[in-house]
């Protein structure tokens, strides 16, 4: 697998997970990359610079999950809708006020509570925005570095929300002090968002209006030079935009994607998932650990265990498409909320299935909420349809979900966790996998 899968294929496919976290139509990062790479080529960037730009744009939203829970807490609103609408807001006071009134307190329990929330944002909005963007930008840059990308890529992600006139965040950089990758990425992002929502002419008008404010005026001139490039716009709107973007990666700068690097990327995106909620911090890593140990206990050979651990690390990537108003809710979910949670398993499969070489892994990871008695989701599979690998991930996932603190229950001692799990043997939990988990926990001194 590692010899045939390219880094660009893997990252571009996983970028769809970042799109759903931001509440954007699928392919947003891909389309932004198409736009940005044409800007980069037009201003004469060399192959190395284009390669760095390519990954800075595909991974521009790498830190996007890290402030989702805080958005819900501060604004009493749906984080995904908030993020989606925020990308349409410029610097004008009427736009900002309209955004605040439309997106603050939408999940407040009462009208007085909503009014109080709006007043709090009007008083402290700048500090709140500073906190949220600072968290997002620095977290994204840190994960990019963990994924072996160089400082030019990391700084491009970190500086995505800086503005040409110095009014941006997190550092208030101005003009050419803003990394070129970030200047291009922000321009490409806004052009794509307005092109999708309002059409080509409105998108061009929007970036022109922000020239000298948000955007480098020279880069805006480059964008307007593409106004009559029919092939550029047709491909941007085409169903095969993914293939076109893969072809843009500079060939001489491609990085080998070996087994170790695949592991690191799976771990990195597992961190993106776990950053979505304070209650899931470390969850993917722990599920990966226990799935690997259970598989070893059951005698699975090393290469297959390594493959399985990647699936365990990525099993919840679909949760990036679920609002934190649901994920962090302390009480019982209503029918619509539960349906939204259930959709995450299908999202996981859809995202991983975009990677041709991950077809089997997508099915294994996406089925981690199926039950042996057929009462699980998303497909209601029965025992004979559920693979051993999925049963292992399910066992590890259930153990950590009960053992760790969640919004609806405190942390549960290991012994009690195992007692609870025993009640679900044969209908939800595979007995052999559970017995292997018990042996692992004894060996680790947990029981």
């Amino acid at each position: 697998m590692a010899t045939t899968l390219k880094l660009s294929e893997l990252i571009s496919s996983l970028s769809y997970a970042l799109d759903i976290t931001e509440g954007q139509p699928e392919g947003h990062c891909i389309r932004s990359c198409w736009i940005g790479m044409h800007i980069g080529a037009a201003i004469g960037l060399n192959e190395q610079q284009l390669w760095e730009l390519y990954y800075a744009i595909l991974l521009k939203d790498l830190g996007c999950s890290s402030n989702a829970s805080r958005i819900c807490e501060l604004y009493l609103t749906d984080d995904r809708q908030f993020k989606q609408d925020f990308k349409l807001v410029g610097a004008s006071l009427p736009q900002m006020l309209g955004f605040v009134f439309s997106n603050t307190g939408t999940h407040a329990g009462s009208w007085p509570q909503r009014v109080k929330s709006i007043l709090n944002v009007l008083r402290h909005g700048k500090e709140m925005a500073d906190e949220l963007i600072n968290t997002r930008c620095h977290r994204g840059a840190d994960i990019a570095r963990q994924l072996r990308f160089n400082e030019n890529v990391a700084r491009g992600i970190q500086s995505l929300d800086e503005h040409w006139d110095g009014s941006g965040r997190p550092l208030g950089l101005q003009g050419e002090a803003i990394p070129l990758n970030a200047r291009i990425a922000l321009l490409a992002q806004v052009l794509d968002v307005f092109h999708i929502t309002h059409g080509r002419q409105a998108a061009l008008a929007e970036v022109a209006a922000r020239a000298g404010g948000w955007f480098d005026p020279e880069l805006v001139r480059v964008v307007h030079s593409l106004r009559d490039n029919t092939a550029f716009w047709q491909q941007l709107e085409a169903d095969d935009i993914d293939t076109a973007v893969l072809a843009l990666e500079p060939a001489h700068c491609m990085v080998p994607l070996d087994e170790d690097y695949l592991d690191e990327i799976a771990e990195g995106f597992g961190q993106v998932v776990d950053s979505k909620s304070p209650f899931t911090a470390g969850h993917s890593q722990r599920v990966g650990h226990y799935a690997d140990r259970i598989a070893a206990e059951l005698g699975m050979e090393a290469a297959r265990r390594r493959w399985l651990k990647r699936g365990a690390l990525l099993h919840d990537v679909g949760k990036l498409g679920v609002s934190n108003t649901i994920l962090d809710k302390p009480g019982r979910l209503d029918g619509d909320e539960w349906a939204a949670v259930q959709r995450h398993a299908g999202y996981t499969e859809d995202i991983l299935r975009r990677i041709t070489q991950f077809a089997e892994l997508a099915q294994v990871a996406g089925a981690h909420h199926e039950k042996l008695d057929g009462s699980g989701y998303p497909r209601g599979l029965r025992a004979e349809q559920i693979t051993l690998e999925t049963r292992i991930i399910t066992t590890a996932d259930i153990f950590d979900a009960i053992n760790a603190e969640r919004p609806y229950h405190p942390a549960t001692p290991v012994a009690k966790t195992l007692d609870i799990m025993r009640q679900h043997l044969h209908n939800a939990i595979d007995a052999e996998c559970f017995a292997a988990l018990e042996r692992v926990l004894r060996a680790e001194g947990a029981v």
Side-chain angles (χ1 to χ4, degrees):
M1 177 173 62
T3 58
T4 58
L5 180 61
K6 296 179 180 178
L7 179 63
S8 56
E9 292 176 276
L10 181 58
I11 296 299
S12 63
S13 296
L14 290 174
S15 75
Y16 279 82
L18 307 181
D19 295 339
I20 63 172
T21 316
E22 287 291 278
Q24 290 300 308
E26 64 175 34
H28 166 65
C29 289
I30 294 282
R31 293 188 301 273
S32 297
C33 188
W34 174 259
I35 296 167
M37 290 295 281
H38 278 79
I39 297 171
I43 63 175
L45 297 186
N46 62 39
E47 283 211 333
Q48 179 62 32
Q49 291 170 321
L50 285 170
W51 184 90
E52 292 163 353
L53 175 64
Y54 187 87
Y55 285 102
I57 298 178
L58 284 179
L59 295 171
K60 67 185 180 62
D61 294 323
L62 201 52
C64 59
S65 64
S66 60
N67 61 15
S69 183
R70 190 70 170 140
I71 286 172
C72 294
E73 179 184 352
L74 291 174
Y75 291 86
L76 300 182
T77 193
D78 182 315
D79 56 294
R80 296 178 68 245
Q81 188 64 54
F82 180 98
K83 287 166 176 272
Q84 182 183 64
D85 291 348
F86 189 71
K87 277 188 163 60
L88 292 167
V89 177
S92 74
L93 183 60
Q95 281 187 326
M96 290 301 298
L97 289 175
F99 172 80
V100 168
F101 285 113
S102 297
N103 289 274
T104 303
T106 58
H107 283 63
S110 63
W111 176 245
Q113 188 181 12
R114 183 173 188 187
V115 171
K116 182 179 178 181
S117 178
I118 291 172
L119 291 174
N120 183 57
V121 173
L122 292 176
R123 291 191 190 102
H124 305 291
K126 182 182 182 303
E127 303 96 290
M128 290 160 66
D130 287 346
E131 175 195 337
L132 294 171
I133 293 176
N134 188 67
T135 299
R136 177 191 192 280
C137 291
H138 289 293
R139 180 61 173 158
D142 286 344
I143 295 176
R145 293 182 184 103
Q146 291 176 33
L147 297 181
R148 302 189 191 178
F149 290 100
N150 65 26
E151 277 302 300
N152 290 332
V153 175
R155 291 186 64 242
I157 295 168
Q158 181 174 305
S159 303
L160 177 68
D161 290 292
E162 302 287 0
H163 297 165
W164 182 256
D165 63 3
S167 64
R169 299 175 175 93
L171 301 176
L173 301 179
Q174 185 174 5
E176 294 187 358
I178 304 169
L180 182 58
N181 286 344
R183 281 182 265 155
I184 295 174
L186 180 62
L187 176 55
Q189 168 179 288
V190 171
L191 189 69
D192 177 64
V193 168
F194 277 86
H195 178 242
I196 285 289
T197 56
H198 294 80
R200 185 189 311 181
Q201 297 309 318
L204 291 168
E206 186 67 30
V207 299
R210 300 192 198 187
W214 280 38
F215 305 136
D216 180 339
E218 290 299 320
L219 297 181
V220 173
R221 277 190 275 276
V222 171
V223 167
H224 280 271
S225 73
L226 297 169
R227 177 188 294 270
D228 299 319
N229 186 333
T230 303
F232 169 83
W233 294 101
Q234 285 180 340
Q235 185 61 73
L236 180 63
E237 298 163 359
D239 292 339
D240 65 345
I241 183 65
D242 307 65
T243 302
V245 167
L246 289 177
L248 290 179
E249 184 185 22
H252 296 304
C253 301
M254 290 183 181
V255 175
L257 188 56
D258 59 21
E259 296 291 337
D260 289 342
Y261 200 5
L262 272 172
D263 292 342
E264 290 171 26
I265 291 172
E267 288 180 11
F269 271 82
Q271 290 181 35
V272 174
V273 176
D274 291 352
S275 295
K276 187 87 162 72
S277 168
F279 296 101
T280 56
H283 172 68
S284 297
Q285 192 70 39
R286 292 190 297 272
V287 172
H289 167 75
Y290 286 117
D292 178 61
R293 293 298 310 278
I294 292 169
E297 192 67 32
L298 293 175
M300 188 175 291
E301 54 98 13
R304 188 69 172 175
R305 279 171 46 206
R306 192 174 198 176
W307 175 89
L308 173 62
K309 185 174 181 179
R310 290 175 197 146
L313 288 165
L314 296 170
H315 77 285
D316 266 347
V317 70
K319 277 193 176 173
L320 293 174
V322 182
S323 171
N324 279 73
T325 58
I326 297 172
L327 294 179
D328 297 343
K329 184 176 179 178
R332 181 178 293 275
L333 302 182
D334 63 29
D336 289 341
E337 291 168 336
W338 178 235
V341 169
Q342 289 182 310
R343 284 195 289 273
H344 87 273
Y347 290 155
T348 290
E349 183 170 347
D350 289 344
I351 290 165
L352 296 182
R353 195 170 51 202
R354 290 181 178 278
I355 307 162
T356 303
Q357 293 85 346
F358 278 24
E360 184 190 1
L361 193 67
Q363 292 181 331
V364 165
H368 67 278
H369 282 291
E370 300 289 359
K371 294 183 179 181
L372 304 174
D373 63 4
S375 65
Y377 63 88
R379 292 192 171 88
L381 302 180
R382 298 193 67 85
E384 63 274 14
Q385 299 169 296
I386 302 173
T387 66
L388 173 62
E389 289 85 355
T390 291
R391 297 175 189 218
I392 290 171
I393 294 176
T394 299
T395 303
D397 181 48
I398 292 174
F399 171 76
D400 192 66
I402 299 172
N403 180 235
E405 180 185 3
R406 290 295 170 94
Y408 42 86
H409 71 68
T412 307
V414 170
K416 185 176 180 180
T417 297
L418 293 175
D419 285 341
I420 294 171
M421 292 178 71
R422 284 189 191 94
Q423 298 172 29
H424 299 280
L425 291 180
H426 308 296
N427 58 4
I429 301 169
D430 181 276
E432 290 187 12
C433 293
F434 178 76
L437 172 65
E438 285 191 295
R439 294 194 294 272
V440 167
L441 292 171
R442 282 197 294 271
E444 293 183 348
V447 289

